[in-house]
Amino acid sequence: MSKPSSAFTISPAATTLIDVIVGKFPGISVIGDNVANGNPKILIRGGSLSINNQAYAIYDVDGSLQTDFPSYIDPQNVKSISILKSLAATNRYGGIARGGAIIIKLKWWKNI
């Protein structure tokens, strides 16, 4: 089930996208010390896990599907974030999303 970020506000103190995702949504866990190397692994509660095969979240950034955390995104450019748990994500994206999906919509700025 998707949890949309309807009244979505980002604190000016948020310096990374991981700060925004982990702080706003319950059931999101960052695994290991992967934050330091810029490629954190995120688990969504209710995701499909096994001892030998952890299923991590995938990322849909404005329609572009990614398996690595999009650390290049400035949190101040995020318009909305939605979380899909494993069943809903698998229905939408296939088996690659068995660990859930994080859908990120960015603000698009007009050039003046």
Side-chain angles (χ1 to χ4, degrees), residues 10 12-13 17 20 24 50 52 54 56 63 90-91 110-111:
I10 297 175
L17 187 59
V20 175
K24 289 278 186 184
S50 69
N52 296 323
Q54 299 262 340
Y56 299 108
T90 302
N91 286 339
K110 283 181 141 180
N111 291 335

Side-chain angles (χ1 to χ4, degrees), residues 57-72:
I58 62 164
Y59 309 91
D60 177 345
V61 180
D62 283 337
S64 173
L65 198 59
Q66 303 173 24
T67 55
D68 289 333
F69 183 79
S71 58
Y72 59 88

Side-chain angles (χ1 to χ4, degrees), residues 22-78:
V22 173
K24 289 278 186 184
F25 300 96
I28 302 293
S29 301
V30 179
I31 301 302
D33 60 354
N34 294 319
V35 177
N37 67 19
N39 191 19
K41 300 293 184 191
I42 294 183
L43 286 175
I44 299 174
R45 182 178 49 219
S48 173
L49 300 177
S50 69
I51 292 172
N52 296 323
N53 190 8
Q54 299 262 340
Y56 299 108
I58 62 164
Y59 309 91
D60 177 345
V61 180
D62 283 337
S64 173
L65 198 59
Q66 303 173 24
T67 55
D68 289 333
F69 183 79
S71 58
Y72 59 88
I73 294 176
D74 179 358
Q76 302 307 317
N77 290 337
V78 174

Side-chain angles (χ1 to χ4, degrees), residues 19 21 23 41 61 67 72 75 83-84 96 99-100 102 106:
D19 295 335
I21 292 172
K41 300 293 184 191
V61 180
T67 55
Y72 59 88
I83 306 295
L84 294 179
I96 193 170
I102 299 173
L106 300 176

